[in-house]
Amino acid sequence: MGVLQLMILAGMILMLVKVEKPGKKEAKKEPSASKAPVKKKSRDGADDGSKKKKQKKKKDPNAPKRAISGFMFFSKMERENIKKSNPGISFTELGRVLGDKWNKMSAEDKEPYEAKARDDKKRYKEEISGYKNPQPMNIDSGNESDSA
């Protein structure tokens, strides 16, 4: 038997095991006390509100911008050319075309973009070394209710 046939057979066995037969309902075991009830998630993915998402840290607008990769420099230059040659191209298809073009380029063709990326990385390192992120201070308001 081939691997595909075994996988199909295993899938069919699982389906048979999952199907409840009418005569088997009386033979069900009583739920043990040690097992906790399992909550099912709703279809939209939201559960009963018991879990809360972690709040995202707010980005400091004064923080230096991250360094740009060579591919991003290439994309900035080539994006308009590709849009002109392919009017109506979708965003995802545009990204795919840019990626293919970048991957087909030789190392010599990529060098000017990589050089810009190295310069930008130096710029970022200099800016981030001089940047100090102001941390929010915890100031005691004097209210007793704050300490509880």
Side-chain angles (χ1 to χ4, degrees):
M1 261 191 191
V3 175
L4 182 61
Q5 291 171 332
L6 286 173
M7 290 175 61
I8 292 171
L9 183 62
M12 291 191 319
I13 290 171
L14 283 174
M15 286 191 293
L16 288 174
V17 170
K18 288 182 181 179
V19 173
E20 282 189 38
K21 295 185 178 163
K24 296 277 183 175
K25 286 190 178 181
E26 291 93 28
K28 272 190 172 180
K29 293 181 182 178
E30 291 182 12
S32 63
S34 64
K35 288 188 179 178
V38 178
K39 292 182 182 178
K40 291 188 178 181
K41 290 183 180 178
S42 62
R43 278 191 176 246
D44 60 353
D47 41 346
D48 300 344
S50 60
K51 283 189 178 181
K52 293 188 179 184
K53 277 189 169 181
K54 283 187 178 180
Q55 284 193 353
K56 223 176 167 182
K57 288 184 181 178
K58 291 191 177 181
K59 189 175 180 181
D60 183 6
N62 299 325
K65 300 291 180 198
R66 297 283 309 251
I68 298 175
S69 68
F71 173 71
M72 290 309 294
F73 279 110
F74 168 76
S75 296
K76 282 183 178 180
M77 302 285 280
E78 289 295 315
R79 179 164 302 209
E80 289 305 317
N81 296 338
I82 292 174
K83 280 185 178 179
K84 285 178 185 173
S85 63
N86 301 313
I89 190 169
S90 69
F91 180 77
T92 54
E93 190 60 33
L94 178 66
R96 193 172 291 125
V97 170
L98 284 167
D100 290 343
K101 208 169 182 181
W102 176 257
N103 288 331
K104 289 177 183 174
M105 288 173 66
S106 66
E108 296 85 32
D109 293 338
K110 290 181 183 179
E111 184 54 37
Y113 304 108
E114 297 292 344
K116 286 181 182 180
R118 284 191 295 274
D119 292 342
D120 197 42
K121 190 173 183 179
K122 287 177 190 173
R123 180 228 20 114
Y124 176 71
K125 282 185 177 182
E126 289 170 6
E127 287 182 13
I128 202 74
S129 65
Y131 171 73
K132 185 178 180 208
N133 188 5
Q135 296 292 326
M137 297 178 144
N138 290 333
I139 300 173
D140 186 17
S141 62
N143 292 345
E144 292 178 8
S145 61
D146 289 346
S147 63

